[in-house]
Amino acid sequence: MSGPNDSSGANGGGKDGRRLPGRNRRRFEGISSRAYEHPADRSALVALRKLSGFDTVFKALSGLLPERSLRLLFLSDSVRVSDQQFAHLNDMLRDACYILDLPKVPPMYVTQDPRPNAMCIGLDEPIIVVTTGLVELLDEEEMRAVVGHEVGHALSGHAVYRTILLFLTNLALRVAWIPLGNLAIMAIVTALREWFRKSELSADRAGLLVGQDLQASMRGLMKIAGGNHLHEMNVDAFLKQAEEYEESGDLRDSVLKILNVLPRSHPFTTVRAAELKKWAASRDHQRIMDGHYPRRGEDKDTSVYDSFKESASHYAETVKTSKDPLMKLLSDIGSGAGDIGGRLRDRFTGTPGSGPDSPGRPPKDSQDPPPES
């Protein structure tokens, strides 16, 4: 398999032939989104792509969806990125599409909003939107990773499903007065959000493939979490927060983590940083950088069964190696560990040593000495 090419700008260069960006980056010709997708994200996408007519049905719903309205809104009340407007963002966008070999450069808009945010939506054609808050917050290399993140969404086809998620979320609010109808829609929304959180991890990886600067990706996530105060922040300490978040507390905290993340479309920022750093150090990432990656032409031959098997294996390994109290309990149950009741009590109360096999208590098969007469 041929190795990646060097990129010095979208389509070989910027306007008037100038080289973009300032240093060469590798290009991944014909790369499939399966190369960087999180296993849970990949299995869902492979299954959806295998469903004959699935995208056609979704696109037929476009009359019910606010896509046309959104396009008109951004066209009329935002700034479209081009050679004449936000030219530096246009260069980044074209360069990202060149590196990931996206056939068509999607339209990109800058919209006035102090909150740092970016999104990729659309059924017929993806569009990328970034807020002024994000543009003002990030430096060039950090922004390049974000643009690559959104181009990764476009290459994976996430824009279609995100648009559906937005529509269903709005619909759930409108039918909240119908108990059963609202419950059914919210069940779908909850499942879509879980998938979309994993798709964000996929897009973070795409951003790293485009920017090819892990430190810039880390800085961008830190700024999104804590603002433009890098002199007050530290990458290692930030990643330590992710470890503490996973490891600390008891089962009550594990339940609270689940409740906190359920309404979110994105994973928590420290978790994203830790996941990206782990992937950057993996063999999968190194193989891509060496030019060994799945190609788009092979997507049609991908096995749904193999994708789900890989996803299940990933989740099993996550449960096995996780330091979260709930995940550790599930691992114990799966391995047939004894005295689950005692372990459950210990981890809910956060007081180890209350189980019958705990230190300081006699073994459960021991006998107390008979009382003296």
Side-chain angles (χ1 to χ4, degrees):
M1 190 175 291
S2 61
N5 304 312
D6 285 336
S7 163
S8 58
N11 300 321
K15 191 178 180 183
D16 301 325
R18 64 183 184 275
R19 293 173 63 82
L20 293 169
R23 63 179 176 84
N24 287 343
R25 289 174 170 80
R26 296 172 187 259
R27 184 186 185 221
F28 308 101
E29 187 175 358
I31 189 172
S32 167
S33 60
R34 292 181 291 114
Y36 58 79
E37 285 164 353
H38 184 280
D41 176 28
R42 188 188 309 130
S43 63
L45 290 173
V46 168
L48 290 174
R49 290 166 186 152
K50 290 288 185 178
L51 289 178
S52 178
F54 180 79
D55 286 347
T56 303
V57 171
F58 264 169
K59 289 176 181 179
L61 294 173
S62 59
L64 302 175
L65 300 174
E67 181 182 8
R68 289 180 179 273
S69 175
L70 286 174
R71 288 181 184 277
L72 289 172
L73 178 63
F74 291 127
L75 186 63
S76 63
D77 206 32
S78 300
V79 177
R80 183 161 57 190
V81 171
S82 66
D83 285 334
Q84 291 79 39
Q85 302 186 112
F86 288 101
H88 72 294
L89 292 181
N90 191 51
D91 290 338
M92 289 182 197
L93 174 64
R94 294 174 62 206
D95 190 66
C97 293
Y98 179 72
I99 289 174
L100 293 181
D101 199 14
L102 190 68
K104 185 176 181 181
V105 179
M108 183 174 177
Y109 293 89
V110 176
T111 188
Q112 172 63 33
D113 189 335
R115 296 170 297 181
N117 196 17
M119 60 180 174
C120 181
I121 58 173
L123 291 176
D124 295 319
E125 180 182 282
I127 59 173
I128 295 172
V129 181
V130 296
T131 65
T132 52
L134 189 69
V135 175
E136 293 163 4
L137 178 65
L138 304 183
D139 67 24
E140 182 175 353
E141 292 304 306
E142 296 156 6
M143 194 68 199
R144 191 180 302 280
V146 170
V147 172
H149 174 112
E150 299 306 327
V151 170
H153 276 313
L155 181 58
S156 288
H158 292 151
V160 172
Y161 312 118
R162 172 151 195 169
T163 305
I164 297 295
L165 175 58
L166 290 172
F167 168 70
L168 289 176
T169 301
N170 291 333
L171 180 62
L173 294 175
R174 294 178 184 177
V175 299
W177 58 276
I178 306 176
L180 293 180
N182 184 52
L183 285 175
I185 292 174
M186 286 310 300
I188 299 173
V189 167
T190 299
L192 278 172
R193 281 176 178 159
E194 167 58 19
W195 160 73
F196 203 80
R197 285 190 290 270
K198 295 301 185 290
S199 76
E200 288 299 321
L201 300 180
S202 299
D204 283 343
R205 297 174 180 183
L208 179 60
L209 292 178
V210 168
Q212 297 173 29
D213 184 343
L214 180 61
Q215 291 304 310
S217 294
M218 293 289 111
R219 292 198 310 269
L221 290 169
M222 288 172 63
K223 283 184 176 181
I224 291 172
N228 194 12
H229 303 281
L230 279 179
H231 63 288
E232 298 283 355
M233 294 184 279
N234 177 276
V235 172
D236 292 334
F238 188 66
L239 292 172
K240 186 69 177 176
Q241 289 180 226
E243 291 182 25
E244 184 177 344
Y245 172 76
E246 181 184 9
E247 298 175 13
S248 64
D250 52 35
L251 281 179
R252 291 168 296 184
D253 296 290
S254 296
V255 173
L256 289 174
K257 291 175 190 176
I258 294 172
L259 294 176
N260 285 340
V261 81
L262 277 179
R264 296 175 60 92
S265 62
H266 289 57
F268 292 114
T269 318
T270 57
V271 175
R272 290 173 63 184
E275 287 284 338
L276 185 60
K277 187 173 187 295
K278 185 192 307 181
W279 187 73
S282 70
R283 285 191 62 191
D284 288 342
H285 175 253
Q286 188 57 53
R287 284 178 59 81
I288 295 173
M289 297 305 295
D290 290 340
H292 303 291
Y293 50 81
R295 305 294 176 123
R296 244 167 275 165
E298 304 162 357
D299 285 349
K300 63 181 182 300
D301 301 321
T302 306
S303 166
V304 176
Y305 172 78
D306 288 343
S307 298
F308 274 108
K309 185 177 178 181
E310 184 181 358
S311 178
S313 176
H314 169 80
Y315 274 114
E317 183 64 20
T318 299
V319 171
K320 183 179 178 181
T321 59
S322 176
K323 297 178 181 178
D324 177 82
L326 178 58
M327 294 297 103
K328 290 170 72 175
L329 177 64
L330 292 176
S331 180
D332 288 346
I333 294 173
S335 63
D339 188 32
I340 295 301
R343 292 172 183 266
L344 186 63
R345 182 170 58 252
D346 291 348
R347 294 181 187 178
F348 254 118
T349 60
T351 54
S354 60
D357 291 331
S358 302
R361 295 196 56 167
K364 57 186 177 182
D365 59 350
S366 68
Q367 300 276 335
D368 289 332
E372 296 181 1
S373 57

